[in-house]
Amino acid sequence: MYPRLDIYTEKRLIALGKKRFWKVLLLTVAWSIAVIILWRLYLIHFNRPISHPTCFAFPIFLILPFFPFHAHKTIFGKTFYGRVMSARYRIKRKKFQLTLSDMRNADYLTADVVFVGRNGESITINYKLQSILAQNIYYKPDDYIFFVRGLIYPVRYPIPEDREHICPVCGNFIKVGKRRCGWCKADFS
């Protein structure tokens, strides 16, 4: 049996998740409506049939929120208690070119973390953000987590009182002993 968070913290986190869920859903719907209106105005203004090659760019704009911004993970996510089954941290090297003659290498850390819920839910997340990997490895195998639909990061519990922990809304570290994020002002005390 998985231990649970205290009821007040759980309700607070679910409320934060719902707030972010509705914000992402409304922004995605507003984006889709704006793209459809602009598409229609383009067709009318330039008097083009819908099968014209330049009209195929607009459906690409319709799917824009789902891939670079991962709105589908927020909208179709689940809320569950679970555990960290595996966490693999590695350093990747990326080459980039500054000028024609200057080629540089940059190392960045990634983490592939597998979360498994008590009802069989399984989510694998690839983190490329520095917040997960900043001072030390945050998610470790066999840690208990609470994954809330709408939030980016699962909450590891019990929430450590003696070290920094991750804000589930924005991913920044919250200082020792604090329950309010200094960056996004999310309060889950």
Side-chain angles (χ1 to χ4, degrees):
M1 183 76 185
Y2 289 93
R4 294 180 64 107
L5 286 167
D6 63 279
I7 217 65
Y8 178 74
T9 305
E10 183 179 330
K11 285 183 179 181
R12 193 80 161 143
L13 288 169
I14 289 172
L16 285 171
K18 283 183 181 178
K19 180 180 175 184
R20 186 169 184 277
F21 165 78
W22 284 108
K23 188 186 298 183
V24 168
L25 182 66
L26 290 174
L27 286 173
T28 304
V29 168
W31 173 263
S32 300
I33 290 171
V35 167
I36 290 170
I37 289 171
L38 288 174
W39 188 11
R40 189 69 190 138
L41 289 173
Y42 176 80
L43 292 174
I44 293 170
H45 181 71
F46 290 109
N47 197 17
R48 308 225 187 222
I50 199 161
S51 62
H52 194 271
T54 58
C55 295
F56 290 110
F58 284 96
I60 293 171
F61 288 119
L62 281 175
I63 61 171
L64 186 65
F66 296 102
F67 292 103
F69 304 117
H70 302 290
H72 61 287
K73 291 182 181 178
T74 301
I75 295 170
F76 301 113
K78 298 177 185 177
T79 298
F80 64 89
Y81 280 94
R83 293 185 93 155
V84 177
M85 290 305 289
S86 68
R88 190 174 87 192
Y89 295 85
R90 56 196 159 135
I91 297 174
K92 287 189 174 181
R93 182 164 292 223
K94 184 176 183 179
K95 292 182 179 182
F96 60 95
Q97 190 169 0
L98 294 174
T99 62
L100 289 175
S101 62
D102 191 13
M103 187 72 128
R104 300 266 172 112
N105 290 329
D107 293 338
Y108 64 97
L109 298 168
T110 63
D112 294 320
V113 185
V114 178
F115 303 103
V116 176
R118 62 177 150 190
N119 295 328
E121 302 96 337
S122 177
I123 295 178
T124 303
I125 300 177
N126 181 285
Y127 292 108
K128 294 178 185 171
L129 303 174
Q130 285 301 110
S131 59
I132 291 292
L133 312 160
Q135 291 109 8
N136 54 10
I137 297 171
Y138 189 72
Y139 294 112
K140 296 177 181 147
D142 294 330
D143 281 347
Y144 292 106
I145 56 108
F146 181 50
F147 199 89
V148 180
R149 177 180 78 171
L151 299 182
I152 300 170
Y153 298 93
V155 179
R156 193 176 84 184
Y157 67 92
I159 297 171
E161 298 290 334
D162 59 339
R163 51 182 264 206
E164 293 182 328
H165 57 280
I166 288 183
C167 173
V169 178
C170 67
N172 287 313
F173 275 99
I174 298 174
K175 297 194 184 303
V176 176
K178 303 236 177 177
R179 295 291 188 162
R180 183 180 173 132
C181 179
W183 180 257
C184 70
K185 307 299 185 229
D187 184 15
F188 60 101
S189 56

